Amino acid sequence: MTYTNSSTIPRRTWLITGATSGIGRQLTQQALDAGESVAALARDTRPLVGVDDNPRLLAIDTDVRDAASVQAAVEGAVTRFGRIDVVANNAGYGLFGAVEEATDAQARAIFDTNVFGVLNVLRATLPVLRAQGAGHILQGSSVYGQSAHPGVGLLAATKYALEGLSDALAAEVGPLGIKVTLVQPGLTATAFLDNLEFAPTDEDYDDTVRKVLNTISALPPQSFSDAARIAAGIRLAVQSDHPPLRLALGTVSATDMRGALQGRLADLDSWTEAASAVDA
Ligand SMILES: NC(=O)c1ccc[n+]([C@@H]2O[C@H](COP(=O)([O-])OP(=O)(O)OC[C@H]3O[C@@H](n4cnc5c(N)ncnc54)[C@H](OP(=O)(O)O)[C@@H]3O)[C@@H](O)[C@H]2O)c1
């Protein structure tokens, strides 16, 4: 496969998963509005009807859990646009319930989409970006990539997985001209909460997990970030010559992650003797 030289392409080409709804939909719209091209992936891209007569949009029905379908989508994108500048690994969903409550099938299913889906996209797109010697990978993390509270253990486990993977990935592909940014929004007004899966419940967790759920359910609309603003924040990072490895979006997200990081540092500092006691 041949790739178009970036100097002949006036605007970026994006490949966005989860492009039909929420943050991915806003990213798609804003890229098109800016004159950029988008390969828009989702299992069902019919919600993009209406924008799909735009020649700079290629909508492809793709399940990120299916490596062959992801590979075909990436090949379709390169055939149409000649290159891929930005890969937005945005598709994902949430699972709510205590760690013990989540069934084995639920736990494996969320990793299948939120982690193995991302790996499928990386395996299909990285050869393209490496051949170009350029590209930017956006990893759809979350405030739950650095912090967690009762009820979000499995969701956070998938986002923490992306964070560790991306720390290594950034160091591996940076020398090849490829940038990596973990996108960490807080609660955002999208279909995410409507699409939440729920674990079966055990009353022992009513005072923790269900209490949190009730608190989240009672939050006023202004507690949720606007998806268009999240997309605009992501675009700022993509336009930067020096994008961050981690992009916190929303004051609550930044505050929660700062608290979690300070807690980790406090543990490190209070237990330095135990740490050094095992040295040879
Ligand atoms: N909303 C929040 O509060 C929030 C906060 C922090 C982080 N995030 C993260 O932001 C990302 C986007 O979430 P959102 O809030 O925009 O949610 P959303 O409105 O529910 O959109 C999710 C998108 O992912 C797609 N998708 C789900 N499973 C898929 C699969 N197996 N294969 C392909 N596409 C799939 C959906 O389309 P189909 O169903 O048609 O496939 C949809 O387009 C997620 O990774 C989420 O974890 C969200």
Side-chain angles (χ1 to χ4, degrees):
M1 200 170 291
T2 55
Y3 305 100
T4 314
N5 186 309
S6 61
S7 60
T8 63
I9 295 281
R11 304 217 193 270
R12 290 180 186 86
T13 293
W14 295 66
L15 183 136
I16 302 174
T17 67
T20 53
S21 172
I23 296 167
R25 171 93 189 207
Q26 287 297 330
L27 267 182
T28 299
Q29 194 60 58
Q30 291 181 21
L32 293 174
D33 290 347
E36 298 166 348
S37 302
V38 181
L41 279 52
R43 284 169 299 184
D44 177 2
T45 57
R46 277 176 299 178
L48 291 173
V49 167
V51 277
D52 65 356
D53 52 356
N54 185 328
R56 286 182 284 102
L57 175 70
L58 176 65
I60 314 172
D61 286 358
T62 312
D63 189 329
V64 294
R65 297 169 298 185
D66 176 355
S69 114
V70 171
Q71 184 63 40
V74 169
E75 284 172 14
V78 172
T79 300
R80 168 77 81 92
F81 299 122
R83 59 184 290 112
I84 299 171
D85 299 296
V86 186
V87 176
N89 262 317
N90 165 75
Y93 72 92
L95 167 61
F96 198 90
V99 170
E100 183 189 349
E101 290 173 331
T103 66
D104 185 63
Q106 287 178 317
R108 288 176 192 279
I110 194 168
F111 270 84
D112 245 0
T113 295
N114 291 9
V115 179
F116 292 106
V118 168
L119 277 172
N120 285 335
V121 173
L122 290 176
R123 283 195 207 97
T125 54
L126 276 171
V128 178
L129 306 195
R130 283 193 290 106
Q132 295 169 175
H136 195 161
I137 295 167
L138 302 171
Q139 300 283 61
S141 184
S142 163
V143 61
Y144 298 135
Q146 289 285 333
S147 62
H149 55 65
V152 298
L154 269 304
L155 170 60
T158 66
K159 299 302 185 182
Y160 274 58
L162 286 189
E163 297 253 342
L165 180 154
S166 302
D167 279 334
L169 181 70
E172 291 163 2
V173 300
L176 307 176
I178 301 166
K179 299 166 185 165
V180 178
T181 297
L182 284 152
V183 179
Q184 302 167 315
L187 288 178
T188 306
T190 69
F192 190 80
L193 288 183
D194 301 328
N195 293 335
L196 262 187
E197 286 238 352
F198 288 91
T201 60
D202 183 309
E203 63 184 5
D204 276 356
Y205 294 107
D206 285 353
D207 281 345
T208 50
V209 173
R210 250 60 68 194
K211 211 174 243 176
V212 167
L213 184 59
N214 291 339
T215 305
I216 293 176
S217 306
L219 287 173
Q222 59 268 29
S223 302
F224 293 80
S225 296
D226 175 45
R229 286 180 186 233
I230 298 287
I234 294 169
R235 288 184 60 77
L236 275 183
V238 167
Q239 286 155 7
S240 166
D241 288 336
H242 302 288
L245 175 54
R246 287 181 166 78
L247 178 67
L249 291 171
T251 306
V252 175
S253 173
T255 304
D256 287 357
M257 288 192 288
R258 191 179 298 279
L261 291 171
Q262 283 166 342
R264 273 173 226 164
L265 283 175
D267 276 350
L268 265 183
D269 290 342
S270 328
W271 286 82
T272 48
E273 267 181 45
S276 56
V278 303
D279 291 347

